[in-house]
């Protein structure tokens, strides 16, 4: 790495999707792996801010690491974006955790609408579930579409 660069062990200048089951405990880490010159500022920001009744325990481990421990996770308390930032006077690095708290959906609904006109086919695929998590089904949809085309 070059002079002035910083790198988090978990990924640098990136966003990590973190799915936590309701009622469980979880640990999220922000650890600076490399920094030249050494880290002078490591901070943690929670959006939207956690209130005074928060179930977060934040542990600072020296100047290079922060651990966030969540106990008895709930969507109301822990569905947050956590931003870790580190600086060394020359450069800055960010790491964002996007937390979702919940469980798997009870049901998933998928519908396919195919319209064929002349020599064109139009596929419309809708996937929904009863979970409040954002959809993460691109790979499954791509596979489904490929299978339909092969048939």
């Amino acid at each position: 790495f070059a002079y002035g660069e910083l790198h988090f062990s978990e990924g640098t200048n990136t966003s990590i999707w973190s799915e936590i089951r309701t009622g469980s405990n979880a640990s999220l880490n922000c650890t600076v792996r490399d920094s030249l010159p050494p880290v002078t500022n490591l901070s943690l920001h929670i959006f939207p801010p956690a209130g005074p009744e928060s179930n977060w325990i934040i542990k600072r481990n020296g100047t290079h690491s922060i651990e966030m421990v969540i106990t008895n996770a709930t969507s109301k308390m822990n569905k947050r974006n956590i931003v870790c930032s580190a600086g060394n006077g020359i450069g800055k690095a960010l790491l964002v955790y996007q937390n979702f708290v919940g469980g798997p959906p009870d049901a998933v609904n998928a519908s396919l609408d195919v319209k064929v006109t002349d020599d064109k086919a139009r596929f419309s695929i809708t996937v929904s579930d009863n979970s409040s998590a954002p959809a993460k089904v691109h790979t499954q949809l791509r596979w489904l579409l490929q299978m339909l085309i092969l048939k």
Side-chain angles (χ1 to χ4, degrees):
F1 68 101
Y3 184 77
E5 288 185 1
L6 296 106
H7 299 280
F8 283 104
S9 296
E10 300 78 16
T12 301
N13 299 330
T14 190
S15 181
I16 298 173
W17 170 264
S18 174
E19 195 165 335
I20 304 165
R21 186 173 292 278
T22 300
S24 69
N25 300 335
S27 177
L28 307 173
N29 293 290
C30 296
T31 304
V32 176
R33 180 186 69 215
D34 301 312
S35 178
L36 185 62
V39 173
T40 56
N41 182 24
L42 178 63
S43 60
L44 172 78
H45 305 279
I46 301 172
F47 301 102
E53 69 284 353
S54 173
N55 58 350
W56 297 82
I57 299 169
I58 299 173
K59 301 176 185 177
R60 184 173 287 273
N61 303 315
T63 60
H64 287 76
S65 181
I66 297 176
E67 179 185 15
M68 298 146 292
V69 178
I70 300 169
T71 57
N72 193 23
T74 67
S75 185
K76 179 181 177 189
M77 298 290 286
N78 306 114
K79 186 177 174 183
R80 305 269 194 267
N81 289 331
I82 293 92
V83 179
C84 301
S85 64
N88 60 9
I90 296 172
K92 187 173 184 176
L94 296 174
L95 172 64
V96 178
Y97 282 100
Q98 295 176 300
N99 284 354
F100 166 75
V101 179
D106 294 328
V108 175
N109 302 311
S111 64
L112 173 65
D113 182 38
V114 181
K115 292 192 173 92
V116 179
T117 58
D118 299 325
D119 61 345
K120 296 178 185 172
R122 191 180 103 213
F123 297 91
S124 177
I125 301 171
T126 304
V127 177
S128 63
D129 63 38
N130 62 352
S131 157
S132 60
K136 294 188 343 177
V137 295
H138 300 294
T139 302
Q140 292 91 339
L141 288 177
R142 190 176 312 117
W143 177 84
L144 176 63
L145 187 57
Q146 288 172 351
M147 293 303 292
L148 289 171
I149 291 171
L150 292 175
K151 290 183 178 185

